[in-house]
Amino acid sequence: MEHEVFVPVLAERLREVLDDPARVARAVPGLQQDAGAEPVAGRLKIRVGSHSVTYRGAVRVSRRDDGSYAVEGEAEESRGSGSVELTLRIALRDAEDGCTVTYDGTASADGRITDFPAEAVEGAVTRLLNRFAEHLATAATQGTDGERAGAGAGAEEQTPADLGLTEEPPAPERPSAFGADRPAPSHGPADEEDEEEDEDIAEAAHARRTMIGRSAEEVDHAPPRGRYAPVPAPQTVSPPAPLRWAAPAAALAVASAIVAVRALRRRR
């Protein structure tokens, strides 16, 4: 298969990345490196349509005399008996405002990958190569930014002495009237009046603090007001003692009068 990708990075910068196996490993999209193995070795998951296949293997990148790069790799399915062998050639060609990355190679595979449609497999490989070229360009750009940052830091670390500049000696301090030794002031009548005023102010402040403290204590123990005020219990109004006995006496008098009237009527 053949495929080309344009990246906005100079070809020389991409060659610096391809010459470093560690940076190549970081540029492979989705590669999970194995500890203690080769730089470009580990597990790689390839998504084909709605399916995915995980391979475990290694890839070797070497530079040729003509400036191109040879890529050789072998991998096996992590869950299955399938395997893949890859032979790829990467060529870099200068272009306006960047370079063109050309892929040319062949691959042989067996296992689950052969059950998928050829168009889906080709699309998955094309996406993988495009992302690999983008990651190479990103790695090259980060390297350029890091070099610039290091140069800037080196310039900041230069001291004035390194630049041929010397600091001027500090100017002598001028005598201050505040720091001069002065005789201790003597106490006179005016000083005694000031002391009495200070004592009065202190007593007034103490009295104010005491009053504020009492007010705060009273407020803390005061019952709540407004909507949170407690509802007073209903009070039963009982009549006074004279009125309490007046009603039964009046009823008794009325009953006695009725009985007397009936007795008189019977006599007649």
Side-chain angles (χ1 to χ4, degrees), residues 253-267:
V254 172
S256 301
I258 294 172
V259 172
V261 171
R262 289 180 178 179
L264 292 176
R265 287 180 179 177
R266 289 177 182 178
R267 289 178 182 180

Side-chain angles (χ1 to χ4, degrees), residues 181-187:
D181 296 336
R182 290 180 297 177
S186 58
H187 294 281

Side-chain angles (χ1 to χ4, degrees), residues 113-201:
I113 197 72
T114 58
D115 298 335
F116 304 136
E119 295 81 4
V121 175
E122 184 177 357
V125 174
T126 301
R127 288 193 302 270
L128 182 64
L129 295 178
N130 290 341
R131 294 179 59 190
F132 178 64
E134 293 174 0
H135 290 184
L136 288 176
T138 302
T141 305
Q142 291 177 352
T144 304
D145 296 341
E147 293 176 0
R148 293 177 180 176
E156 292 178 359
E157 291 178 357
Q158 293 182 353
T159 60
D162 297 336
L163 300 176
L165 302 178
T166 57
E167 298 181 357
E168 297 181 359
E173 298 182 356
R174 297 181 179 180
S176 175
F178 295 99
D181 296 336
R182 290 180 297 177
S186 58
H187 294 281
D191 297 335
E192 293 179 358
E193 293 179 358
D194 295 340
E195 292 179 359
E196 292 179 358
E197 292 181 359
D198 295 341
E199 291 179 358
D200 295 340
I201 294 173

Side-chain angles (χ1 to χ4, degrees), residues 52-82:
S52 61
V53 183
T54 302
Y55 290 95
R56 181 185 296 274
V59 175
R60 294 171 297 278
V61 181
S62 58
R63 188 170 183 174
R64 294 181 175 180
D65 297 338
D66 59 353
S68 61
Y69 292 85
V71 180
E72 298 178 355
E74 303 88 14
E76 297 180 355
E77 294 181 6
S78 59
R79 296 182 180 180
S81 57

